[in-house]
Amino acid sequence: MVPSFDDGTSLYNFVVRDGNGVKGMVDSGLTTVPVAYMQPPRERIDKESARKHEQLPIDLSRLDGPEHDEVAVEIVRAAETLGFFQVINHGVPVDLLESLKDTANKFFGLPPEQKAVYRSEVSPTPLVKYGTSFVPEKEAALEWKDYISLQYVNDAEALQHWPIEIRDVALEYLRTSIKMVRKLLEVLMVNLGMKLVDPKIDALIDKKMVNMNFYPTCPNPDLTVGVGRHSDMGTITVLLQDGIGGLYVKIEEDMRFGKKGEWVEIPPTPGALVINVGDMLQVLSNKRYKSAEHRVRTTNTTSRVSIPIFTIPKLTEKIAPLPHLVEKDGIAHYREFLFADYMKNFFGNAHEGKKSLDFVKNVDSS
């Protein structure tokens, strides 16, 4: 029996506790947006007023040739301005990207009970979590999204514990992407004055997670968000978009693509991957690199998938602005902290822009 979605408790039990997700709600014949998903006006995404970010993708194949320095400058410039950029010739086969999107759509098309076995309360492994929204128990308005999150320890554990329907393609996506992440991180850290042999570089991408996000069709996208305003807690994020679009990024400083405070859409580009700077790079660079605030819009035409890879530091890693940058700037914008504490704070609160960085901000920093 389908509950009344006008009753908050019944909706929460059906969508969250029982694991039916937003898709289960939509599949029941939903024709209006429940109150629990209605965002306050300030959080809604005005598609018509947001311009598209027209920056051409960066061709990463040029990193391995005589144009290395020129491409490195492009990567650094993107990290210092918007904090988001797209890449092509990245080393991840395009047919694998298409297979990923198909696999994600098929997984979320499974009966609810097959997905619900991975809810955090009952999952047979801590490496796999199926859920909905972000932190639904703490959100004033829920996000219109279901997801499955796959933590990576090693290939053997992934093959043993990740859902059989998605494990092989997700693992290959991770294997082929991580080489690219390492190259990008090397460029960004060398620009900050670090040496390639510094063990810190590997420590910054020690842990990896692959998520598959599913945004079902929404009766009224203007009232909802697929993902609320946030920045990513880790080091570098790799994102595969499908062809539908809906990813919006906030401009932090006036630039030729827009003014401070404006939102721009990152349009899907066939064969490209989206790269964004995480909070840890903003901290390490003492604010030189921008961990951009971003969010996702829903659609009423068709469901949408996105597949990010999150690279994050070791939980025991101490993070702080690089000392020589602090000396140069005359101020440390962030205090030293243990990454495990930052992660706990991040997942302990609803999405609220870049508020997570306030947790480690120095009192004297503006």
Side-chain angles (χ1 to χ4, degrees):
M1 179 179 171
V2 177
S4 166
F5 296 129
D6 294 327
D7 177 72
T9 301
S10 296
L11 179 146
Y12 186 92
N13 290 341
F14 178 83
V15 174
V16 180
R17 187 197 65 186
D18 299 339
N20 289 289
V22 180
K23 187 175 189 302
M25 188 171 60
V26 171
D27 287 348
S28 73
L30 187 77
T31 57
T32 59
V33 173
V35 172
Y37 286 90
M38 289 186 184
Q39 297 289 329
R42 68 180 182 278
E43 300 296 343
R44 297 173 188 174
I45 301 174
D46 184 358
K47 182 179 180 181
E48 303 307 319
S49 67
R51 71 181 76 187
K52 291 189 186 299
H53 184 57
E54 303 295 351
Q55 178 69 48
L56 292 174
I58 297 174
D59 184 349
L60 291 189
S61 67
R62 295 163 58 216
L63 263 182
D64 299 321
E67 296 176 283
H68 175 277
D69 291 352
E70 181 182 331
V71 180
V73 168
E74 292 179 29
I75 292 167
V76 168
R77 185 187 301 123
E80 290 178 337
T81 52
L82 189 62
F84 266 74
F85 55 98
Q86 298 196 68
V87 295
I88 55 173
N89 295 324
H90 37 60
V92 184
V94 173
D95 58 350
L96 174 61
L97 300 182
E98 294 305 312
S99 180
L100 266 166
K101 290 182 277 189
D102 291 342
T103 299
N105 276 303
K106 287 176 183 175
F107 177 81
F108 287 101
L110 292 173
E113 58 272 16
Q114 285 184 245
K115 297 172 289 187
V117 296
Y118 292 107
R119 287 183 300 115
S120 58
E121 298 84 359
V122 297
S123 180
T125 169
L127 301 182
V128 182
K129 177 187 176 183
Y130 171 75
T132 189
S133 197
F134 180 61
V135 189
E137 64 275 13
K138 294 194 174 184
E139 292 167 344
L142 298 172
E143 299 177 351
W144 198 270
K145 176 193 76 173
D146 300 330
Y147 69 89
I148 186 145
S149 180
L150 312 171
Q151 288 193 48
Y152 178 82
V153 177
N154 55 51
D155 284 10
E157 293 212 28
L159 291 169
Q160 180 180 352
H161 296 294
W162 288 7
I164 192 170
E165 298 90 351
I166 58 178
R167 69 180 187 194
D168 293 337
V169 69
L171 188 55
E172 188 61 22
Y173 176 44
L174 179 60
R175 284 173 180 152
T176 51
S177 295
I178 205 64
K179 299 172 187 174
M180 168 190 62
V181 169
R182 172 75 201 213
K183 281 185 180 181
L184 293 171
L185 186 57
E186 286 177 354
V187 167
L188 293 171
M189 298 310 286
V190 166
N191 178 66
L192 296 179
M194 290 184 71
K195 292 183 170 59
L196 288 179
V197 294
D198 195 314
K200 186 88 171 177
I201 293 180
D202 286 319
L204 289 172
I205 54 173
D206 180 75
K207 291 178 67 67
K208 296 101 179 167
M209 291 185 291
V210 181
N211 277 23
M212 289 185 173
N213 299 324
F214 185 78
Y215 307 94
T217 52
C218 178
N220 190 341
D222 292 336
L223 300 177
T224 61
V225 296
V227 180
R229 298 179 297 111
H230 72 289
S231 57
D232 290 349
M233 68 170 179
T235 303
I236 287 177
T237 300
V238 178
L239 175 71
L240 170 62
Q241 296 197 83
D242 63 12
I244 298 165
L247 172 63
Y248 293 81
V249 180
K250 189 176 183 179
I251 298 174
E252 287 202 12
E253 296 178 0
D254 288 354
M255 53 189 292
R256 64 191 180 96
F257 294 107
K259 295 190 176 297
K260 180 178 179 179
E262 289 182 344
W263 290 86
V264 292
E265 182 179 6
I266 307 295
T269 301
L273 290 167
V274 178
I275 306 297
N276 69 275
V277 171
D279 291 348
M280 296 306 101
L281 282 183
Q282 177 159 325
V283 171
L284 286 160
S285 69
N286 208 30
K287 280 190 167 183
R288 284 166 174 76
Y289 297 148
K290 303 294 188 297
S291 174
E293 187 175 333
H294 54 287
R295 57 186 180 177
V296 175
R297 194 177 192 273
T298 58
T299 173
N300 60 3
T301 54
T302 183
S303 58
R304 173 180 181 266
V305 294
S306 66
I307 303 142
I309 294 174
F310 301 104
T311 62
I312 63 176
K314 293 191 294 187
L315 295 179
T316 56
E317 189 71 13
K318 290 182 178 179
I319 306 292
L322 296 174
H324 65 277
L325 298 181
V326 173
E327 183 178 355
K328 182 177 181 180
D329 298 341
I331 185 173
H333 291 293
Y334 306 98
R335 63 175 174 83
E336 184 180 74
F337 57 92
L338 205 62
F339 180 71
D341 294 334
Y342 192 89
M343 186 172 176
K344 181 180 179 182
N345 177 73
F346 183 85
F347 284 113
N349 296 282
H351 283 146
E352 192 177 344
K354 296 182 69 170
K355 194 172 181 180
S356 291
L357 280 166
D358 291 345
F359 176 65
V360 295
K361 191 175 181 179
N362 265 336
V363 177
D364 296 334
S365 176
S366 58

